[in-house]
Amino acid sequence: MTRSISTGRKVLGAALFLALGAPLPAFAHAILMASTPAVNGTAEGPDVSFDLRFNSRIDHKRSRLTLTLPDRSQQVLPIAEDGPEDQLTTKAALKPGAYTLRWQVLAIDGHITRGDVPFTVGGN
Amino acid sequence: MALLIDLFGYLSVILHGLTIVAQSMALGGILFLIFLARPFADALGTVGDDILRRTRRIAGWAAVALIVCEAATIALQGAVLIGTVDLSFADVMSADFAIAGQIKILAAALLVVLAFGFPNTPRPVLAGVVLLELAAATLTTHANARLEDRVPLLIVEGLHQLGAAIWIGGIPSFIMALGRCHDGMAWRKVGKRFSQMSTVGVACILVSGATMTYLYVGDLPGFYGTAYGVMVGAKMAMFAGLLCLGAMNYLLVERLRTNPATPITRLKRFAEVEIGIGFTLFFAAASLTSVAPAIDLSTDRVTWNEIVERNTPQMPVLTSPDHAALALPALQQKLDQEAEAQKKNPPPAFVPGSGDLPPRNLDDIRWSEYNHHWAGLFVLLMGVLALANQAKLARPVTKHWPLVLLGLAVFLFLRSDPEVWPLGEEGFWESFRDVEVVQHRMFVALTVIFGLFEWRVRVGGLAKTKAALVFPIMTALGGALLLTHQHAIANVKDQLLIELTHTPLALASVALGWSRWLEIRLDPPGNKIAGWIWPACFIFIGFLLLSYREI
Ligand SMILES: [Cu+2]
């Protein structure tokens, strides 16, 4: 059983276009302006520092950074509470491999958004 | 929970739209009370008392709706946060947006109590509560999350909402008041004062809108090259339409001065359409909260050349790729084969709500383009027949134009779900277990019902009944919802290029609905003019669909 259309686009108003099969854009308000490591970038292990900068003031306490490890397991990274109001920072000890950092942020105005930063940790 | 956050994006936009509607009607009702109903109560006599009571009722019920919407907003956002970030209820309720929301609810509750229970509340007290509500509402706008220009942006956001409340939010009370009055002098009094109020409202919107456009959009490439800019453009187009209607009403009110016997039907009808387009505008405004301001997107904008290139007409694609070639079926087939080799259950190729986008290949794009092009042919045919019917050409044939919708329904039935009967392997009845198929089927059924219904209106003698209004309302609503549906993720150019074609579609659909509404509700000659507009909108939509491209 396969479905070519995601759940989010199943609401009546746009039903004609959904039925026609136009792709669904995602929602985004708070966006990532810059990050270390960069999207699809590399980092030097084992101690990796993360720094994500957004276009909005972010509620640090109510945001979350989740790291997907090369073995597909997930790990929640603690967010430093004292960083600048538009940045999220954290650290992790990582082995070489391909990772994805998923961010979910609450902007001060109440909007929740999320996105991914795929990156690789280099090493020998 | 992942599914919830996907749905959350769409739900929160719809909910936000409803919140803006409720908020502006509640505040607009109170302002109508302060500046029109109260001052004129004595001069209008018994009618004045009636208007006072009804205005309070409109404002009171709108405030009730505002409480419901705001509570639902906090609940929805709270549920997502509790489910995804491991927060307690208290943690969520002490977030900035939740505190602002609680103040909004409090102020709205105060309005409910004052509107229903205390008819003699002093006007400054009412105005104070209105300002409190506005201030709290402003704290949940983009402006409050800005790093730069935060204070000026907060001020103009407040002004913007105040303007919308005075003008659009006051119109329901205005129509009510016009309906209560029975002589030219009363109409003139009410019309004149509301004209003055809406002028102030329009001024607030213009000043704040221009400031926000400058600070959020920045420049011309930001305007056409980003989702935010495109949505601002749609808002401007609707605002211009509203201004035209408002200006014509202003002239009519002026005519009442010289001739109190001037009929005011047009005043009421235009005001009805102003409510409709105004509320559509609110939904467009709500969807702006789900896209990043253009000024924050310095890279990955769509360029003018790309827009021109994408929209240069090409021959429509009228042949379709085989559905086995689509990305998802192909991937699933591969997974099925692998699983069979390992004697395991095959994993699904795509899990809705996982946060990943379903895979798409070139054939998916062709499939989608083909669907749009054929739908375009149906809509174009419908428009041409409707236009011919309007021109009194071959009426025995052309009056049946709504039946074309049945053809469209059959087409959608065949094409929406390629995996199921009759194109795919899955049987007709067993496919009903899939929520998505059920929803597509419902849409097909709706198209059939809608087509037969409008056909009955045209040929079955329902033309003079309220049933005739179903078609304009449904098309206008469809357009409004289409406007809220499209939100390109900040950096995906392709989706923005698609959105660029959907915005005019949505606007044309809104224009179609409301011009048909005017054709039904206006007296000659206005209804004749309106009668030519909506078939033209159909034809325009048909051409847009025919030239739709995703690559
Ligand atoms: Cu925001």
Side-chain angles (χ1 to χ4, degrees):
Chain A
M1 191 69 225
T2 60
R3 289 285 142 254
S4 54
I5 303 172
S6 79
T7 330
R9 40 165 137 164
K10 298 190 300 194
V11 189
L12 182 72
L16 174 62
F17 296 91
L18 310 190
L20 289 172
L24 174 84
F27 296 85
H29 156 51
I31 53 168
L32 190 64
M33 301 295 280
S35 71
T36 320
V39 173
N40 296 321
T42 53
E44 274 314 304
D47 293 319
V48 181
S49 300
F50 296 90
D51 185 0
L52 285 78
R53 189 166 65 80
F54 296 89
N55 67 334
S56 305
R57 295 161 63 219
I58 302 293
D59 188 330
H60 289 185
K61 186 180 169 191
R62 297 172 184 84
S63 298
R64 168 157 287 199
L65 296 175
T66 313
L67 191 65
T68 304
L69 306 173
D71 65 0
R72 308 296 296 159
S73 67
Q74 294 195 326
Q75 181 187 336
V76 175
L77 302 179
I79 296 168
E81 295 240 353
D82 54 347
E85 53 186 357
D86 60 336
Q87 288 177 34
L88 296 181
T89 53
T90 187
K91 285 197 216 0
L94 304 177
K95 297 190 188 82
Y99 294 80
T100 302
L101 182 68
R102 176 159 290 188
W103 53 267
Q104 181 191 315
V105 297
L106 173 70
I108 295 297
D109 59 12
H111 299 133
I112 303 167
T113 41
R114 68 178 185 189
D116 291 328
V117 179
F119 65 95
T120 44
V121 174
N124 27 40
Chain B
M1 193 43 66
L3 181 66
L4 182 61
I5 202 170
D6 269 1
L7 280 174
F8 164 80
Y10 191 80
L11 279 181
S12 64
V13 169
I14 296 295
L15 202 51
H16 194 171
L18 292 173
T19 309
I20 302 178
V21 168
Q23 179 186 313
S24 45
M25 269 182 72
L27 302 187
I30 298 291
L31 293 167
F32 194 86
L33 197 66
I34 294 176
F35 292 108
L36 199 155
R38 283 275 186 87
F40 289 167
D42 290 338
L44 293 173
T46 48
V47 173
D49 284 341
D50 196 21
I51 291 175
L52 265 179
R53 210 177 47 241
R54 283 166 191 270
T55 307
R56 286 206 317 270
R57 206 184 298 160
I58 291 174
W61 281 114
V64 169
L66 177 56
I67 294 172
V68 173
C69 289
E70 194 58 40
T73 304
I74 297 178
L76 187 68
Q77 281 162 317
V80 171
L81 286 175
I82 289 173
T84 54
V85 194
D86 296 334
L87 289 172
S88 69
F89 181 73
D91 277 338
V92 170
M93 294 313 273
S94 57
D96 289 23
F97 81 88
I99 292 172
Q102 290 161 57
I103 297 173
K104 271 178 91 174
I105 291 177
L106 206 75
L110 215 54
L111 284 182
V112 174
V113 172
L114 295 180
F116 288 123
F118 298 88
N120 298 318
T121 311
R123 290 193 278 167
V125 174
L126 288 174
V129 183
V130 166
L131 286 180
L132 179 66
E133 181 72 56
L134 272 178
T138 304
L139 291 179
T140 56
T141 59
H142 275 347
N144 197 30
R146 294 307 285 175
L147 294 154
E148 284 152 20
D149 305 319
R150 183 159 150 244
V151 173
L153 277 170
L154 279 170
I155 292 170
V156 291
E157 289 264 18
L159 205 59
H160 210 60
Q161 297 186 51
L162 177 66
I166 298 176
W167 184 19
I168 307 297
I171 294 178
S173 307
F174 175 56
I175 293 179
M176 177 276 297
L178 285 178
R180 297 285 105 195
C181 297
H182 299 292
D183 64 280
M185 281 328 287
W187 284 332
R188 175 162 158 66
K189 266 203 181 66
V190 173
K192 172 94 182 163
R193 174 53 64 92
F194 192 69
S195 255
Q196 291 166 339
M197 287 174 65
S198 32
T199 308
V200 174
V202 168
C204 289
I205 294 174
L206 272 177
V207 169
S208 55
T211 312
M212 285 197 278
T213 305
Y214 175 70
L215 291 175
Y216 281 139
V217 177
D219 52 8
L220 198 60
F223 185 66
Y224 60 72
T226 65
Y228 191 94
V230 170
M231 194 57 76
V232 168
K235 282 183 72 181
M236 285 176 175
M238 286 188 282
F239 182 72
L242 284 177
L243 273 185
C244 288
L245 291 170
M248 286 172 81
N249 274 353
Y250 173 81
L251 293 178
L252 197 139
V253 170
E254 286 304 298
R255 214 182 307 154
L256 276 169
R257 181 181 9 219
T258 47
N259 177 15
T262 309
I264 59 153
T265 316
R266 201 184 79 192
L267 198 61
K268 290 189 206 166
R269 301 299 170 247
F270 277 14
E272 290 165 5
V273 174
E274 282 181 65
I275 294 182
I277 297 179
F279 286 2
T280 309
L281 223 164
F282 289 162
F283 275 85
S287 71
L288 267 184
T289 58
S290 68
V291 287
I295 197 120
D296 293 338
L297 279 183
S298 47
T299 56
D300 290 319
R301 288 179 174 185
V302 172
T303 65
W304 185 249
N305 281 341
E306 285 170 315
I307 294 174
V308 170
E309 205 225 338
R310 174 64 66 89
N311 292 288
T312 308
Q314 281 186 355
M315 277 309 284
V317 182
L318 297 176
T319 53
S320 162
D322 190 36
H323 94 264
L326 301 183
L328 217 52
L331 180 59
Q332 186 69 61
Q333 204 181 4
K334 189 170 149 257
L335 290 172
D336 287 352
Q337 282 165 2
E338 284 172 10
E340 194 161 354
Q342 299 168 19
K343 304 260 181 273
K344 283 196 299 198
N345 276 334
F350 172 68
V351 182
S354 60
D356 305 318
L357 285 174
R360 277 170 70 80
N361 62 22
L362 211 58
D363 285 313
D364 286 283
I365 291 170
R366 298 254 155 74
W367 183 274
S368 173
E369 288 186 348
Y370 169 94
N371 286 2
H372 281 80
H373 295 163
W374 272 96
L377 280 183
F378 282 112
V379 176
L380 187 62
L381 176 64
M382 203 150 61
V384 169
L385 288 177
L387 196 69
N389 186 49
Q390 203 73 21
K392 300 193 172 60
L393 291 171
R395 280 211 151 152
V397 178
T398 55
K399 71 177 176 190
H400 296 293
W401 67 263
L403 290 179
V404 178
L405 280 168
L406 301 185
L408 183 60
V410 170
F411 174 76
L412 292 175
F413 174 75
L414 292 177
R415 298 286 302 185
S416 306
D417 301 286
E419 306 86 348
V420 303
W421 185 89
L423 290 189
E425 292 117 44
E426 201 168 345
F428 179 75
W429 295 110
E430 73 181 288
S431 68
F432 273 89
R433 282 182 312 210
D434 190 299
V435 187
E436 195 151 319
V437 175
V438 173
Q439 276 169 336
H440 288 162
R441 295 264 161 81
M442 268 169 53
F443 180 67
V444 168
L446 217 64
T447 311
V448 171
I449 295 169
F450 191 42
L452 289 175
F453 194 86
E454 181 63 11
W455 182 57
R456 286 272 298 141
V457 168
R458 298 291 158 159
V459 299
L462 289 175
K464 292 271 179 281
T465 67
K466 287 256 187 291
L469 296 176
V470 171
F471 171 74
I473 289 175
M474 292 294 283
T475 37
L477 198 67
L481 289 171
L482 184 59
L483 268 182
T484 63
H485 144 82
Q486 37 189 327
H487 307 280
I489 199 167
N491 47 7
V492 180
K493 268 190 192 182
D494 272 344
Q495 292 178 341
L496 181 56
L497 282 165
I498 289 166
E499 176 166 340
L500 277 168
T501 59
H502 278 188
T503 303
L505 271 175
L507 292 176
S509 192
V510 170
L512 192 158
W514 292 114
S515 53
R516 170 70 182 142
W517 175 277
L518 284 177
E519 185 192 18
I520 297 167
R521 305 266 295 161
L522 267 183
D523 300 325
N527 61 348
K528 292 279 182 303
I529 300 167
W532 287 99
I533 297 175
W534 64 264
C537 292
F538 257 139
I539 292 175
F540 177 65
I541 293 173
F543 276 118
L544 279 177
L545 285 171
L546 269 173
S547 61
Y548 176 85
R549 283 162 55 200
E550 287 181 22
I551 196 166

